[in-house]
Amino acid sequence: MTRLFTVALALSIVSPASAAQALWKQTNHWTISGDTQTGVCIAETIYPAKGQSLLIAEGSIGWSLFLTGTNAVAGGLYRVDVATSSGGVGEFQGKGLSDGLVMFKNLDRETMWQLAKARQLAIEGLGAFNLTGSFEAILETHACFLAVTGEMS
């Protein structure tokens, strides 16, 4: 099930919008969308000057973080040190889903809290990313997830 979810999530990121995908909310820095077929919600922010984007997703396997436009290679395994401006540090383990796209999955609540509070995220070897508005984006992604999975009362 986890492998199937990963494939569905990756496809929802790199493929055009389907009929099951819908915009949940647009903020100054983030676009939050949900997919009722996969039960996944994604917050995306784009860095045009770098040709990169950062995506935060919540689905049946929990929280994941994706980076596009990186030097990641398909099938590559990445164990990288991570630091946030809010003081959170740690290590992410990820996999290159395709050239330029890396996924870090199974992020815990503490990691999500650090990302929500942070203004900046530095990932060794992959870059530094402005997280302005991440608090609202993460809250909205969770609300979207509850709605698309029917868990909202």
Side-chain angles (χ1 to χ4, degrees):
M1 179 68 174
T2 299
R3 184 153 176 66
L4 178 61
F5 169 79
T6 301
V7 170
L9 183 56
L11 288 174
S12 70
I13 289 170
V14 297
S15 66
S18 72
Q21 293 178 346
L23 176 67
W24 176 262
K25 185 169 187 176
Q26 179 75 47
T27 70
N28 286 338
H29 302 281
W30 296 83
T31 301
I32 297 94
S33 58
D35 188 316
T36 56
Q37 284 184 328
T38 61
V40 174
C41 286
I42 298 170
E44 178 181 27
T45 190
I46 298 172
Y47 308 96
K50 296 180 184 184
Q52 295 179 308
S53 61
L54 182 143
L55 299 95
I56 296 172
E58 185 176 18
S60 63
I61 65 166
W63 291 94
S64 302
L65 184 138
F66 295 81
L67 297 172
T68 68
T70 69
N71 57 359
V73 294
L77 299 178
Y78 298 89
R79 185 179 294 241
V80 296
D81 290 327
V82 177
T84 66
S85 59
S86 60
V89 293
E91 184 178 82
F92 283 0
Q93 294 182 36
K95 183 174 184 176
L97 298 181
S98 64
D99 289 346
L101 174 63
V102 64
M103 173 187 188
F104 301 97
K105 64 181 181 178
N106 300 324
L107 303 180
D108 61 24
R109 284 182 176 258
E110 178 59 28
T111 300
M112 296 315 298
W113 177 242
Q114 291 299 326
L115 291 173
K117 294 187 313 181
R119 303 291 255 164
Q120 185 88 4
L121 171 67
I123 302 178
E124 178 187 14
L126 296 174
F129 303 89
N130 181 339
L131 293 179
T132 300
S134 62
F135 185 82
E136 180 183 13
I138 289 170
L139 288 178
E140 288 295 335
T141 301
H142 184 62
C144 172
F145 173 73
L146 294 175
V148 300
T149 59
E151 293 183 32
M152 205 172 222
S153 45

